Amino acid sequence: MPQKRIYMDHNATTPARPEVVEAMLPYFTKIFGNASGLYSFGIESKKALESSRETVADFLGAKPKEIIFTGSGTESDNLAIKGTAFANKSKGNHIITSSIEHAAVLNTCGYLEKNGFKVTYLPVDEYGIINPSDVKKAITKSTVLISIMYANNETGVIQPIREIGKIAAEKEVLFHTDAVQSVGKIPVHVNELNVDLLSMSGHKIYGPKGIGALYIKSGTRIEPIIHGGHHERNLRAGTENVALIAGLGKAVEIMKKQMEKEVKHIRGLRDNLWKKIKDKIEDVRLNGHPEFRVPNTLNVIFKYIESEAVIVDLDLKGIAVSGGSACSSKLSEPSHVLTAMGIDAASAQSTIRFSLGKDNTEKDIDDLMDVLPEIIKRLRKISPLYNKK
Ligand SMILES: *Cc1c(COP(=O)(O)O)cnc(C)c1O
């Protein structure tokens, strides 16, 4: 019998819900008209486009005209940061972000540094949390944007976005948050968070890959980064990908209904998994804040071993987990997030991220715990670090 595979890497991506796939299909074949067309083919596409926009806006507590569809969470981050930086260049050239952002934010800021902008990368404490007063202190007369993520993709740690938003508003500086990892896991309402811009992505919330959205508060000065036709209020040229947009709309619609129930289930599994790991395996440590974390993420140091070896061994058993971060796992460098939290390189290389999802079960946790203690034990036996202990 083929082995049942167990997926525990939902912060990297999630499977699209069957209802999402079904909602997309008509727009590839029957309702294929260009949404800018004046004929009925186009009007039907346009209807789907605007209906998804309303669904997403409603979910975030925004107005439909404040939602722009993009090609990914990465593109939403790029548009938010480059778009406001370029549009507000006459006001100043300073941007504040954090040292634990996703590459989509860090590398966009790095690009702006090469193009005349100055960027402050704020530190985090040992729990991976940014101090709002550091944000306040970093603001200068030339600060045009603050970009701080809502929840971290590696540790799940939640940032004090409300407080930072208040500071930004007081100082009249634009505030963007990358909420890709918080949407669907904790409440995300733009007005409560005091944000001007907010990024989200389809494939992290059981929607399709290759679709994202950016909330842009009315009146925010921003320029497009993709030039062409007049689509998306002149902010994102290119014929709208109606099928994927319909899929995102469906994912959000279902999430809104199911979130409470699913999150409760996932949190239970996650907390149980941590309890079992602590019970059965020695020399383990939780990375991130014990409380201020999204409910699905568990990031653990298994001292004296290499996370890559654990990932490969678990994969042989049909179980998918990741190391510090999906993006940096190919490079053999310690995670920038864990490093920023003051975690030494060896411990960062010994870190495994479990990110659970709605389809995980108690049996998945048991199956994992049937093999994990053995794997860790075996790897430690051959670890020079462990034997020196
Ligand atoms: C996945 C992710 C992104 C990128 O989203 P894509 O749609 O994959 O481009 C950005 N930020 C965070 C925090 C993420 O987890």
Side-chain angles (χ1 to χ4, degrees):
M1 217 175 75
Q3 187 177 34
K4 189 199 163 219
R5 293 199 302 166
I6 299 174
Y7 184 76
M8 295 189 175
D9 200 17
H10 292 80
N11 287 10
T13 194
T14 60
R17 292 181 199 263
E19 301 94 314
V20 165
V21 176
E22 203 174 309
M24 292 194 289
L25 289 177
Y27 300 99
F28 289 109
T29 51
K30 287 198 207 87
I31 315 174
F32 63 87
N34 190 313
S36 305
L38 297 177
Y39 35 68
S40 68
F41 285 92
I43 290 165
E44 286 170 31
S45 297
K46 179 93 179 157
K47 256 193 199 150
L49 181 64
E50 295 316 321
S51 151
S52 278
R53 203 187 306 282
E54 275 167 34
T55 304
V56 173
D58 178 61
F59 181 78
L60 296 175
K63 299 180 207 101
K65 65 168 188 182
E66 294 175 315
I67 303 299
I68 296 293
F69 290 114
T70 66
S72 59
T74 299
E75 190 189 317
S76 296
D77 286 342
N78 270 264
L79 175 57
I81 297 169
K82 286 184 222 163
T84 53
F86 290 136
N88 294 281
K89 218 171 170 179
S90 62
K91 283 199 204 156
N93 67 345
H94 181 230
I95 296 165
I96 298 169
T97 186
S98 83
S99 47
I100 58 155
E101 299 295 315
H102 189 273
V105 169
L106 284 181
N107 292 340
T108 301
C109 287
Y111 167 78
L112 287 174
E113 279 184 289
K114 282 192 229 146
N115 285 276
F117 287 86
K118 298 226 167 0
V119 180
T120 301
Y121 298 89
L122 295 176
V124 293
D125 66 14
E126 76 258 41
Y127 294 117
I129 298 178
I130 292 146
N131 188 339
S133 75
D134 286 346
V135 178
K136 197 168 189 171
K137 277 184 244 156
I139 296 172
T140 70
K141 278 203 185 73
S142 55
T143 309
V144 288
L145 176 71
I146 299 166
S147 179
I148 306 278
M149 74 197 318
Y150 194 177
N152 184 266
N153 43 302
E154 293 187 33
T155 59
V157 169
I158 300 167
Q159 301 301 329
I161 294 303
R162 276 182 194 76
E163 288 88 324
I164 297 170
K166 258 186 224 148
I167 293 167
E170 261 168 42
K171 300 274 184 179
E172 294 180 28
V173 177
L174 289 176
F175 181 34
H176 165 248
T177 190
D178 174 339
V180 171
Q181 290 292 349
S182 9
V183 171
K185 296 174 185 150
I186 52 174
V188 178
H189 295 286
V190 290
N191 294 326
E192 283 170 24
L193 294 177
N194 306 308
V195 294
D196 301 295
L197 304 114
L198 180 144
S199 303
M200 59 178 280
S201 170
H203 73 102
K204 305 280 173 86
I205 56 166
Y206 306 99
K209 294 173 181 56
I211 186 77
L214 179 66
Y215 158 76
I216 308 173
K217 190 179 187 169
S218 303
T220 302
R221 265 176 45 180
I222 184 162
E223 277 179 16
I225 54 170
I226 296 176
H227 302 270
H230 298 296
H231 315 86
E232 296 296 290
R233 295 184 29 243
N234 287 324
L235 277 175
R236 207 273 185 173
T239 302
E240 299 87 348
N241 195 336
V242 178
L244 266 63
I245 291 169
L248 176 63
K250 186 51 99 179
V252 169
E253 183 193 313
I254 300 175
M255 183 176 65
K256 195 176 169 183
K257 280 191 224 139
Q258 307 274 78
M259 192 171 138
E260 221 181 282
K261 199 177 90 206
E262 287 176 358
V263 160
K264 199 171 157 225
H265 164 71
I266 293 167
R267 184 191 297 276
L269 293 180
R270 194 268 315 259
D271 292 345
N272 196 11
L273 173 58
W274 175 226
K275 204 170 147 285
K276 287 186 169 160
I277 288 175
K278 273 189 301 185
D279 279 356
K280 293 203 178 163
I281 306 173
E282 57 179 26
D283 292 321
V284 293
R285 210 191 98 183
L286 178 77
N287 288 324
H289 197 280
E291 271 169 64
F292 302 134
R293 273 180 308 148
V294 287
N296 79 319
T297 308
L298 181 64
N299 188 299
V300 180
I301 300 172
F302 293 90
K303 285 204 80 156
Y304 315 115
I305 50 101
E306 288 281 340
S307 57
E308 270 122 83
V310 181
I311 294 166
V312 171
D313 280 6
L314 282 176
D315 188 45
L316 289 171
K317 305 279 182 191
I319 303 173
V321 301
S322 76
S325 114
C327 307
S328 61
S329 63
K330 281 208 189 76
L331 314 166
S332 210
E333 268 174 30
S335 135
H336 69 284
V337 175
L338 300 179
T339 305
M341 290 160 65
I343 292 165
D344 63 276
S347 296
Q349 304 275 33
S350 303
T351 292
I352 296 288
R353 177 185 73 182
F354 306 90
S355 51
L356 306 181
K358 67 181 177 66
D359 298 324
N360 285 127
T361 61
E362 202 60 63
K363 170 126 191 341
D364 291 349
I365 304 295
D366 290 342
D367 289 352
L368 168 68
M369 289 312 292
D370 277 347
V371 295
L372 186 63
E374 286 303 311
I375 289 173
I376 301 292
K377 199 169 151 192
R378 193 178 59 72
L379 290 172
R380 280 179 177 167
K381 241 185 219 159
I382 57 170
S383 157
L385 289 171
Y386 188 68
N387 295 319
K388 254 191 266 162
K389 185 173 85 134

